[in-house]
Amino acid sequence: MKKKLLKQGEKKNRSVLKTVGVLLIAFSVYGAITAYGAYQTNLRRNYENIDNSVERTMESIGRSLSMIRGTTIAISGSDSLSNWTKDNDYFNVDEKDRRIRTKALENEMQRTLIYNNGWNLDLIDYVAVYEDRTLLAYTFTKPYNVHTIEEKSSAINDVIRKSDEFSLVIPPTDEDPTMYTTLKIRSDYSEDVGHKKSIYIICATDASFLKDSLNSTYGYEGALMYLTNRAGMIYASNEEGIAGKTIREEILTVSSGVRRDILVSGKKYAITKRSVNSDFYFIYMLPKSEIVRLTIQSMESLLLLSIITTLIMVVLVTMIETQYEQKILMEESEIQFLQQQMNPHFLFNILLTIQIKAKMSGDETVSKMITSLSNLLRAGIYRDKRSTIPIKEELKYVEYYLSLQKERYEDRLSYTIDIEDDELIECEVPRLSIEPLVENAVVHGLEVSDKEGKVEVSIKGKNKDIIIHVKDNGVGFDPEVLKLSDTRLNPDGSLTREKVGVKNTNRRIKMMYGDKYGLSIKSALNEGTDIEIKIPKKKWMVENG
């Protein structure tokens, strides 16, 4: 009996062991499948993060290169160069006429840069224009040694004259960290068939912006990044000392658009090669060992993520109604946005109708407000080609804006516009240079303050200059926070209102009149702000605008 019980116990134990073994195997297989699935998921996610970052970097670089290229094309369409394409001897005239024509070309180049996004984003250092070997004109967007411009642009001109290509982008090197975007124009109207003259436009760019764009790409330890042309010439890389050199042959031969593994210097990389535009590739190389290590490391949080996912599922049930309401609000917002995209002519016609009805009903206040608003909107929407206007016209925009704000704030806002000499209002001022500063004074100085706001605009002559002050008694700020020489983008890629309104005005004035002119700021917290505009005293004429 005892032996029988022992046999039954052993049989039961074996059955339990088998069950436990089966369960262990099942859980092991399940765990292995789950772990493999998690590994593949995390691996795919890491690759997706890299691909998305690469895509953003490509778009950023592509936009920048397009802006630079657009600058050369815009300059090629200037009046002076258009005249040259019709007459190759346009600049081959007596010394007086030649100076007049080259100066006109220089002014056209400056106007192109002033209203160019490439200049606003510090993508352009200088532009030079040659006729064959002769330097016709140049202009620059930041302090630059004239001898350096002439020497470097002449060397680049020698290079591009030997090329049959009409458009070249010359890479930076360790000796000269500048990228040159060039454009050649050849006229078919030349009488000398044996030698047709050519125009060479050279746009110089500090290539550090390319390296900054690469460094902003999401990367792992040991990742390698390159910007190359189609022939494999390196224009930027996070590797030091290789700009202007040719990339390795095994990398150059990789097909574009497909990720694959390659062996470089005995190390295995996952390589992604994408086309930025018709001229450039962006190449991202990631060490396989690094991404495997990080993928496995990320799986340590698998359990925690499972718990969080469960909690999220519970919370999601309570969020359905909220999400539904948010979706409705979003759709309503989109509808409102579309409804607001009105044709400007329609808007002005409606404002005119309201103004007439207000006058007919005897409400002069509403009529004047609508007149001011219409004129202010018209100044902002219809931007003509004039870079300067009379001071009296600029003061009209200021008066329109302040009169509207006065109706809004009533006794909380008072303002004065003082002109020392009536002759000054006939002098020129850069278009829309005073009104944005007045707007900043009200919005950033007075709207956030509880006390009565005062805005003073004063215009005085000083020797051969004009001094304009825009003062307010608002909350003020630390001038160090708003450095006029700092034109970098915010971390999110945007430009703040102050940068657009104040810094761009300062840069426009310096570009038009020289470094001795521009803006200066005096401000202190809770003591108000005084912005001074200094410009030369010049009589405004139609041809000046």
mmCIF file of all heavy atoms in Angstrom, residues 47-66:
data_model
loop_
_atom_site.group_PDB
_atom_site.id
_atom_site.type_symbol
_atom_site.label_atom_id
_atom_site.label_comp_id
_atom_site.label_asym_id
_atom_site.label_seq_id
_atom_site.Cartn_x
_atom_site.Cartn_y
_atom_site.Cartn_z
ATOM 1 N N TYR A 47 14.488 54.360 -35.442
ATOM 2 C CA TYR A 47 14.717 54.709 -36.840
ATOM 3 C C TYR A 47 13.739 55.799 -37.314
ATOM 4 O O TYR A 47 14.107 56.690 -38.078
ATOM 5 C CB TYR A 47 14.582 53.476 -37.729
ATOM 6 C CG TYR A 47 15.823 52.616 -37.778
ATOM 7 C CD1 TYR A 47 15.763 51.245 -37.557
ATOM 8 C CD2 TYR A 47 17.065 53.181 -38.056
ATOM 9 C CE1 TYR A 47 16.905 50.450 -37.614
ATOM 10 C CE2 TYR A 47 18.208 52.400 -38.113
ATOM 11 C CZ TYR A 47 18.129 51.037 -37.883
ATOM 12 O OH TYR A 47 19.260 50.267 -37.934
ATOM 13 N N GLU A 48 12.489 55.694 -36.856
ATOM 14 C CA GLU A 48 11.498 56.699 -37.245
ATOM 15 C C GLU A 48 11.872 58.070 -36.691
ATOM 16 O O GLU A 48 11.715 59.092 -37.379
ATOM 17 C CB GLU A 48 10.108 56.291 -36.746
ATOM 18 C CG GLU A 48 9.495 55.133 -37.512
ATOM 19 C CD GLU A 48 8.182 54.668 -36.895
ATOM 20 O OE1 GLU A 48 7.829 55.179 -35.811
ATOM 21 O OE2 GLU A 48 7.521 53.799 -37.485
ATOM 22 N N ASN A 49 12.351 58.112 -35.435
ATOM 23 C CA ASN A 49 12.787 59.377 -34.851
ATOM 24 C C ASN A 49 13.921 59.993 -35.668
ATOM 25 O O ASN A 49 13.944 61.202 -35.927
ATOM 26 C CB ASN A 49 13.249 59.169 -33.406
ATOM 27 C CG ASN A 49 12.106 58.865 -32.466
ATOM 28 O OD1 ASN A 49 10.957 59.193 -32.759
ATOM 29 N ND2 ASN A 49 12.396 58.227 -31.346
ATOM 30 N N ILE A 50 14.854 59.128 -36.063
ATOM 31 C CA ILE A 50 15.973 59.613 -36.870
ATOM 32 C C ILE A 50 15.483 60.105 -38.224
ATOM 33 O O ILE A 50 15.872 61.175 -38.701
ATOM 34 C CB ILE A 50 17.024 58.501 -37.045
ATOM 35 C CG1 ILE A 50 17.658 58.166 -35.692
ATOM 36 C CG2 ILE A 50 18.090 58.912 -38.049
ATOM 37 C CD1 ILE A 50 18.512 56.924 -35.711
ATOM 38 N N ASP A 51 14.599 59.325 -38.855
ATOM 39 C CA ASP A 51 14.079 59.716 -40.175
ATOM 40 C C ASP A 51 13.343 61.055 -40.099
ATOM 41 O O ASP A 51 13.495 61.909 -40.979
ATOM 42 C CB ASP A 51 13.137 58.634 -40.717
ATOM 43 C CG ASP A 51 13.892 57.380 -41.149
ATOM 44 O OD1 ASP A 51 15.122 57.468 -41.310
ATOM 45 O OD2 ASP A 51 13.256 56.326 -41.289
ATOM 46 N N ASN A 52 12.542 61.220 -39.050
ATOM 47 C CA ASN A 52 11.804 62.480 -38.897
ATOM 48 C C ASN A 52 12.754 63.651 -38.692
ATOM 49 O O ASN A 52 12.569 64.739 -39.254
ATOM 50 C CB ASN A 52 10.835 62.389 -37.718
ATOM 51 C CG ASN A 52 9.686 61.440 -37.980
ATOM 52 O OD1 ASN A 52 9.333 61.176 -39.125
ATOM 53 N ND2 ASN A 52 9.101 60.891 -36.930
ATOM 54 N N SER A 53 13.787 63.429 -37.871
ATOM 55 C CA SER A 53 14.766 64.493 -37.632
ATOM 56 C C SER A 53 15.546 64.806 -38.899
ATOM 57 O O SER A 53 15.813 65.972 -39.209
ATOM 58 C CB SER A 53 15.721 64.074 -36.509
ATOM 59 O OG SER A 53 16.607 65.114 -36.191
ATOM 60 N N VAL A 54 15.913 63.765 -39.643
ATOM 61 C CA VAL A 54 16.608 63.961 -40.913
ATOM 62 C C VAL A 54 15.728 64.756 -41.879
ATOM 63 O O VAL A 54 16.197 65.664 -42.579
ATOM 64 C CB VAL A 54 17.003 62.604 -41.531
ATOM 65 C CG1 VAL A 54 17.412 62.760 -42.991
ATOM 66 C CG2 VAL A 54 18.132 61.969 -40.734
ATOM 67 N N GLU A 55 14.450 64.429 -41.897
ATOM 68 C CA GLU A 55 13.518 65.125 -42.791
ATOM 69 C C GLU A 55 13.429 66.605 -42.444
ATOM 70 O O GLU A 55 13.442 67.474 -43.324
ATOM 71 C CB GLU A 55 12.127 64.482 -42.688
ATOM 72 C CG GLU A 55 11.163 64.880 -43.780
ATOM 73 C CD GLU A 55 11.565 64.337 -45.139
ATOM 74 O OE1 GLU A 55 12.173 63.241 -45.192
ATOM 75 O OE2 GLU A 55 11.280 65.019 -46.140
ATOM 76 N N ARG A 56 13.349 66.908 -41.127
ATOM 77 C CA ARG A 56 13.288 68.312 -40.709
ATOM 78 C C ARG A 56 14.572 69.056 -41.078
ATOM 79 O O ARG A 56 14.534 70.206 -41.524
ATOM 80 C CB ARG A 56 13.037 68.404 -39.207
ATOM 81 C CG ARG A 56 11.630 68.009 -38.790
ATOM 82 C CD ARG A 56 11.360 68.420 -37.350
ATOM 83 N NE ARG A 56 12.237 67.729 -36.414
ATOM 84 C CZ ARG A 56 11.948 66.568 -35.846
ATOM 85 N NH1 ARG A 56 10.799 65.964 -36.141
ATOM 86 N NH2 ARG A 56 12.769 66.011 -34.986
ATOM 87 N N THR A 57 15.702 68.388 -40.861
ATOM 88 C CA THR A 57 16.977 69.014 -41.198
ATOM 89 C C THR A 57 17.072 69.273 -42.694
ATOM 90 O O THR A 57 17.516 70.344 -43.133
ATOM 91 C CB THR A 57 18.146 68.121 -40.744
ATOM 92 O OG1 THR A 57 18.053 67.914 -39.330
ATOM 93 C CG2 THR A 57 19.482 68.769 -41.070
ATOM 94 N N MET A 58 16.643 68.284 -43.498
ATOM 95 C CA MET A 58 16.669 68.453 -44.952
ATOM 96 C C MET A 58 15.796 69.630 -45.384
ATOM 97 O O MET A 58 16.180 70.436 -46.235
ATOM 98 C CB MET A 58 16.188 67.173 -45.630
ATOM 99 C CG MET A 58 17.171 66.031 -45.590
ATOM 100 S SD MET A 58 16.423 64.508 -46.190
ATOM 101 C CE MET A 58 15.645 65.069 -47.695
ATOM 102 N N GLU A 59 14.604 69.730 -44.800
ATOM 103 C CA GLU A 59 13.702 70.820 -45.156
ATOM 104 C C GLU A 59 14.316 72.170 -44.790
ATOM 105 O O GLU A 59 14.231 73.131 -45.562
ATOM 106 C CB GLU A 59 12.359 70.642 -44.452
ATOM 107 C CG GLU A 59 11.531 69.480 -44.984
ATOM 108 C CD GLU A 59 10.242 69.289 -44.215
ATOM 109 O OE1 GLU A 59 10.014 70.047 -43.251
ATOM 110 O OE2 GLU A 59 9.461 68.383 -44.563
ATOM 111 N N SER A 60 14.939 72.243 -43.600
ATOM 112 C CA SER A 60 15.563 73.493 -43.168
ATOM 113 C C SER A 60 16.711 73.882 -44.104
ATOM 114 O O SER A 60 16.805 75.030 -44.552
ATOM 115 C CB SER A 60 16.078 73.339 -41.734
ATOM 116 O OG SER A 60 16.785 74.478 -41.326
ATOM 117 N N ILE A 61 17.590 72.912 -44.405
ATOM 118 C CA ILE A 61 18.714 73.194 -45.301
ATOM 119 C C ILE A 61 18.204 73.528 -46.698
ATOM 120 O O ILE A 61 18.698 74.456 -47.352
ATOM 121 C CB ILE A 61 19.675 71.998 -45.346
ATOM 122 C CG1 ILE A 61 20.362 71.806 -43.985
ATOM 123 C CG2 ILE A 61 20.720 72.173 -46.440
ATOM 124 C CD1 ILE A 61 21.244 70.584 -43.902
ATOM 125 N N GLY A 62 17.195 72.784 -47.158
ATOM 126 C CA GLY A 62 16.644 73.037 -48.485
ATOM 127 C C GLY A 62 16.069 74.439 -48.607
ATOM 128 O O GLY A 62 16.286 75.125 -49.619
ATOM 129 N N ARG A 63 15.335 74.892 -47.553
ATOM 130 C CA ARG A 63 14.790 76.258 -47.586
ATOM 131 C C ARG A 63 15.907 77.297 -47.616
ATOM 132 O O ARG A 63 15.836 78.280 -48.363
ATOM 133 C CB ARG A 63 13.891 76.488 -46.369
ATOM 134 C CG ARG A 63 12.526 75.830 -46.455
ATOM 135 C CD ARG A 63 11.588 76.391 -45.402
ATOM 136 N NE ARG A 63 12.092 76.157 -44.062
ATOM 137 C CZ ARG A 63 11.789 75.101 -43.310
ATOM 138 N NH1 ARG A 63 11.000 74.164 -43.822
ATOM 139 N NH2 ARG A 63 12.259 74.966 -42.099
ATOM 140 N N SER A 64 16.946 77.065 -46.799
ATOM 141 C CA SER A 64 18.048 78.029 -46.752
ATOM 142 C C SER A 64 18.762 78.113 -48.094
ATOM 143 O O SER A 64 19.040 79.211 -48.600
ATOM 144 C CB SER A 64 19.035 77.625 -45.649
ATOM 145 O OG SER A 64 18.419 77.634 -44.380
ATOM 146 N N LEU A 65 19.064 76.955 -48.688
ATOM 147 C CA LEU A 65 19.740 76.950 -49.987
ATOM 148 C C LEU A 65 18.873 77.601 -51.060
ATOM 149 O O LEU A 65 19.378 78.295 -51.950
ATOM 150 C CB LEU A 65 20.098 75.520 -50.382
ATOM 151 C CG LEU A 65 21.124 74.808 -49.493
ATOM 152 C CD1 LEU A 65 21.287 73.354 -49.933
ATOM 153 C CD2 LEU A 65 22.467 75.526 -49.530
ATOM 154 N N SER A 66 17.558 77.368 -50.962
ATOM 155 C CA SER A 66 16.638 77.962 -51.935
ATOM 156 C C SER A 66 16.608 79.488 -51.801
ATOM 157 O O SER A 66 16.559 80.209 -52.806
ATOM 158 C CB SER A 66 15.234 77.377 -51.736
ATOM 159 O OG SER A 66 14.311 77.961 -52.625
#
